[in-house]
Amino acid sequence: MLTETPDGLYCEDGGFHVDPWGAVPLAIVTHAHGDHARPGSGAYLCAEPGVALLRRRFGSDVPVQGLAYGESLMLGRTIVSLHPAGHVLGAAQLRVQGPAGVWVISGDYKRAPDPTCAAFEPVRCDTFVTESTFGLPIYRWDPTATVIGELRAWWADNREQGRASIVFCYTIGKAQRLLAELAPIVETPVLVHGMMVPAIDVYRAAGVCLAPTETLIERPRGRSLAGELVLAPPSARGTPWMRRLGDFSDALASGLMRVRGVRRQRAYDRGFVLSDHADWPALLATIAETGAERVLTTHGHAEPLARHLREQGIDAGVIRTAWEGEGGADEHE
């Protein structure tokens, strides 16, 4: 059904590419993160809730068609539909039905509840192409409420010490998820880096309830930020922008923080293990729920996951991608 090409996965029967990294005539995009949504293609198809994020990335003049979750569309000799992936706003799995059976391309997905996007829905198929960003047994997530509780306690401690608390997180998905989880428990605005404002505005326009925010640049210079909570993209770390924070403690919200060595290597004061990807148990459970006879792994720890599946008697292989792991992208994890 799908073949690997220099531009990414291609469906000849349907005449489209899936999350291509090159410029192609028609790109079906699973979600708006930069390692899946690349500029330059002639036209784009995505889930309806993700249209505004793609237009923010590509510009309003780029042809972007939205498809409601579960709605079918005939493309060439195939029938395609998009189904919730639970990753970020508008994230979707792609179901392709054609001469070679039914394939599902997961894109990025998670199984944990998230108030900012539609929950993941398992889709039955013959072949399942699954992400494997955290495809190692070490990656197992705590409940979100536990992580948010840890963040609140750290923030309160910093407030008592007269420090600002800055959490580095990705601009699409992670920042909004934090703001949604904090919405019921904060009254004063959370300060945010200016890079985060466009995506936050898209989420609010989609009806997602977020904590109140204030762009940090709007604060008068010289005003103390002691006790404030600040969200910023990882790329802002170490830049002149941070001089206005005064005394602060910093943290990264990422599934990568499950590995203590990563936190020490990156020299964060704290690490909050909050991921928008499936952990190891969720990957295995999802693969089982699809009923797929064949599984192809991609993105991240693809080979270890495929090897484990083969040891369990499942026909499994690896699809290579131009994007491996998180790659340090501000929007990926």
Side-chain angles (χ1 to χ4, degrees), residues 259-274:
V259 181
R260 292 182 179 180
V262 173
R263 195 189 79 187
R264 289 195 299 267
Q265 181 184 27
R266 301 194 181 189
Y268 288 101
D269 296 327
R270 281 294 301 267
F272 296 106
V273 185
L274 187 67

Side-chain angles (χ1 to χ4, degrees), residues 26-261:
L26 174 60
I28 298 183
V29 176
T30 60
H31 65 284
H33 281 160
D35 57 331
H36 292 258
R38 305 297 295 171
S41 291
Y44 295 88
L45 176 68
C46 69
E48 183 63 40
V51 169
L53 286 173
L54 283 189
R55 287 185 174 149
R56 184 194 71 85
R57 177 179 292 282
F58 298 143
S60 58
D61 58 337
V62 174
V64 178
Q65 178 184 352
L67 196 65
Y69 285 132
E71 180 183 355
S72 295
L73 178 68
M74 179 74 73
L75 290 177
R77 301 169 63 199
T78 67
I79 300 173
V80 303
S81 55
L82 296 169
H83 305 265
H87 178 56
V88 297
L89 181 67
Q93 307 168 77
L94 170 64
R95 182 185 186 273
V96 185
Q97 180 177 340
V102 176
W103 285 47
V104 169
I105 300 88
S106 74
D108 290 342
Y109 65 96
K110 72 171 177 288
R111 304 303 301 269
D114 182 344
T116 71
C117 60
F120 181 94
E121 295 180 3
V123 181
R124 304 284 293 185
C125 57
D126 303 312
T127 299
F128 185 47
V129 180
T130 178
E131 67 131 313
S132 53
T133 303
F134 292 106
L136 292 174
I138 190 175
Y139 293 113
R140 300 169 187 267
W141 310 145
D142 295 326
T144 302
T146 300
V147 180
I148 296 301
E150 294 170 351
L151 189 152
R152 290 181 66 192
W154 169 76
W155 179 15
D157 182 65
N158 288 333
R159 185 185 300 115
E160 291 181 2
Q161 301 298 322
R163 294 189 295 257
S165 301
I166 180 166
V167 179
F168 292 101
C169 53
Y170 301 101
T171 59
I172 296 178
K174 189 67 60 65
Q176 295 78 21
R177 187 178 177 194
L178 286 170
L179 290 170
E181 295 290 348
L182 291 170
I185 55 179
V186 301
E187 297 179 357
T188 58
V190 176
L191 303 182
V192 298
H193 189 284
M195 283 181 60
M196 294 185 157
V197 173
I200 288 172
D201 288 345
V202 169
Y203 272 69
R204 290 196 198 279
V208 180
C209 180
L210 304 178
T213 58
E214 182 179 337
T215 309
L216 182 53
I217 198 171
E218 295 173 354
R219 284 277 172 120
R221 288 186 178 275
R223 180 174 175 180
S224 174
L225 299 180
E228 301 279 14
L229 178 65
V230 183
L231 303 185
S235 61
R237 195 178 189 217
T239 66
W241 174 85
M242 295 188 64
R243 294 173 185 165
R244 68 192 66 197
L245 296 177
D247 188 20
F248 67 87
S249 179
D250 68 347
L252 177 67
S254 169
L256 289 173
M257 295 293 98
R258 175 57 70 201
V259 181
R260 292 182 179 180

